[in-house]
Amino acid sequence: MTHAVQSHVDPMATQERTHLARALELAARGLYTTDPNPRVGCVVVREGRVIGEGWHERAGEPHAEVLALRAAGPEARGACVYVTLEPCSHTGRTPPCADALIAAGVARVVCCSVDPNPRVAGSGIERLRAAGIAVSVGVLAAEARDLNVGFFSRFERGRPFIRLKLAMSLDARTAPAAGGRAWISGEAARADVQTWRARSGAILTGAGTVRADDPRLDVRLAYGSWVRQPLRVLLDPMLSCATSAKLFHGEGALVFAATDAPARSQDSARVERLPRAAGGLDLRAVIARLTELEVNELLVECGPRLAGAFILSNLVDEFVLYVAPALLGADAAPLMHVSGLGPPGSVPTFEFKDVQRIGADLRLILIPAKT
């Protein structure tokens, strides 16, 4: 005689995951626009019915909870609120969301994770509970963290989440031996790069790349009618790049130079001086300054020497590599210059996070291997 195995499914847990998954979808709408604030979504539910939704779009504008409460109106009293990040408890450019939830008379708040910002860091939850509102935390926490990986990195590790983006041929070369500018990746891959730029707080390159390729390093991806341009950062120890470079067109460029670099005006660019290290500037000083400037996600697009320096300094959190189905030859520029790696077992290793076909090219996303 056989007995059917009955599995118990908790309806409340299922409901929480469903509504928080929707809140995460809403939060992702701010992927390219919220910086330096986190991407947050919110859903208000009463008696099983969604009565309000909201998501944070831009810093200085209403937060997700406020917009969702507005949509819900008076029905928010006694409702359950699902939000991807702990409601804020401090007055910044907008009033505290915890106070708005209390004033609306909601009965319960379910959030994915605690806010890592020390100005919040649990105090929003404490304020809600002190007002008699039930609070649950932790459902879909990994997904919420992934959506705001740079925001968590800045507050928990004291530095941005750093992506190194490179493109290479099948023989791991990045530029023709004859020199000159030439696209390695196809049009689809170049369009994909725009999405990485758009979600970044800053894009960084080196003087060699500016002299060789003269990149604009801007975002040509419109979000509706609005485009947020990340900070464009150039490492130019001796201020050797011409002020006519495309990087300096318009506003928003920051140049890091060595303390012993000659005095020179960079027109619209801001110049800051940092200490030297072997082969260039002190990268950790660069990253520390970008953290002060509230950069959550940093995209590095550079040549082989600077790429190697980031790798050897253990400053790469994610490696985005486009592989084109072409050969450039042994005399062409290599993917990166890394030397002095030490004996086998001590070299940096990576593991694949994602592999996708992008047009005619292959996109590999790698992360440092866990040791």
Side-chain angles (χ1 to χ4, degrees):
M1 182 175 177
T2 59
H3 297 275
V5 177
Q6 294 184 340
S7 61
H8 175 70
V9 177
D10 184 350
M12 180 173 285
T14 300
Q15 185 181 67
E16 286 181 352
R17 293 184 70 87
T18 298
H19 292 310
L20 284 174
R22 173 57 180 166
L24 285 166
E25 286 181 8
L26 294 167
R29 295 182 182 180
L31 187 65
Y32 307 136
T33 61
T34 64
D35 233 55
N37 285 0
R39 299 128 185 169
V40 180
C42 182
V43 177
V44 183
V45 177
R46 181 167 185 169
E47 297 176 353
R49 181 171 59 92
V50 175
I51 59 174
E53 294 185 337
W55 55 282
H56 182 48
E57 184 173 346
R58 289 197 270 276
E61 296 188 5
H63 289 187
E65 299 95 319
V66 171
L67 293 174
L69 290 173
R70 284 181 188 172
E75 285 191 275
R77 184 162 296 278
C80 184
V81 174
Y82 298 87
V83 62
T84 58
L85 190 67
E86 174 188 3
C88 62
S89 56
H90 67 285
T91 300
R93 289 185 243 191
T94 58
C97 291
D99 290 355
L101 291 165
I102 293 167
V106 305
R108 184 167 179 251
V109 173
V110 182
C111 53
C112 296
S113 58
V114 174
D115 191 331
N117 186 339
R119 298 181 69 185
V120 185
S123 62
I125 292 171
E126 290 175 4
R127 188 175 298 189
L128 293 172
R129 286 175 173 160
I133 298 172
V135 181
S136 298
V137 185
V139 177
L140 300 185
E143 290 83 350
R145 173 180 286 270
D146 189 57
L147 183 63
N148 286 300
V149 65
F151 185 77
F152 278 89
S153 177
R154 179 159 63 90
F155 286 110
E156 292 180 347
R157 301 191 301 166
R159 71 168 178 84
F161 185 86
I162 303 173
R163 289 187 181 92
L164 174 62
K165 190 280 295 182
L166 295 170
M168 72 175 191
S169 61
L170 287 175
D171 49 352
R173 302 290 156 170
T174 60
R181 280 177 281 170
W183 292 113
I184 296 175
S185 303
E187 187 174 338
R190 297 198 297 274
D192 189 63
V193 171
Q194 290 293 313
T195 65
W196 296 109
R197 287 184 178 182
R199 68 175 291 165
S200 302
I203 307 168
L204 181 148
T205 194
T209 298
V210 169
R211 288 193 296 267
D213 299 335
D214 196 18
R216 288 161 53 182
L217 291 190
D218 60 355
V219 172
R220 297 180 286 281
L221 177 71
Y223 188 88
S225 59
W226 187 68
V227 177
R228 180 188 63 84
Q229 291 295 344
L231 176 68
R232 289 166 293 161
V233 180
L234 170 63
L235 305 191
D236 189 4
M238 294 307 292
L239 295 175
S240 59
C241 293
T243 56
S244 59
K246 293 176 183 175
L247 181 73
F248 302 129
H249 292 181
E251 297 181 356
L254 171 62
V255 180
F256 287 122
T259 52
D260 59 344
R264 178 179 169 187
S265 170
Q266 291 291 140
D267 297 333
S268 62
R270 183 167 85 250
V271 177
E272 295 190 11
R273 295 174 184 270
L274 294 174
R276 282 186 175 275
L281 295 174
D282 183 338
L283 290 183
R284 295 196 178 275
V286 169
I287 299 307
R289 178 61 181 134
L290 293 179
T291 304
E292 291 176 353
L293 294 173
E294 298 185 305
V295 173
N296 292 330
E297 297 179 25
L298 173 66
L299 182 65
V300 179
E301 299 187 34
C302 62
R305 293 190 182 280
L306 187 53
F310 268 90
I311 291 287
L312 293 175
S313 298
N314 293 317
L315 287 173
V316 176
D317 297 307
E318 199 167 76
F319 191 7
V320 182
L321 178 63
Y322 296 89
V323 183
L327 299 172
L328 290 179
D331 294 332
L335 180 67
M336 64 179 69
H337 285 293
V338 285
S339 59
L341 290 177
S346 67
V347 300
T349 56
F350 298 84
E351 53 190 52
F352 290 103
K353 178 181 177 182
D354 183 69
V355 178
Q356 281 192 45
R357 178 85 174 264
I358 307 289
D361 304 311
L362 199 62
R363 187 190 71 190
L364 313 177
I365 299 180
L366 304 99
I367 57 176
K370 296 179 177 66
T371 55

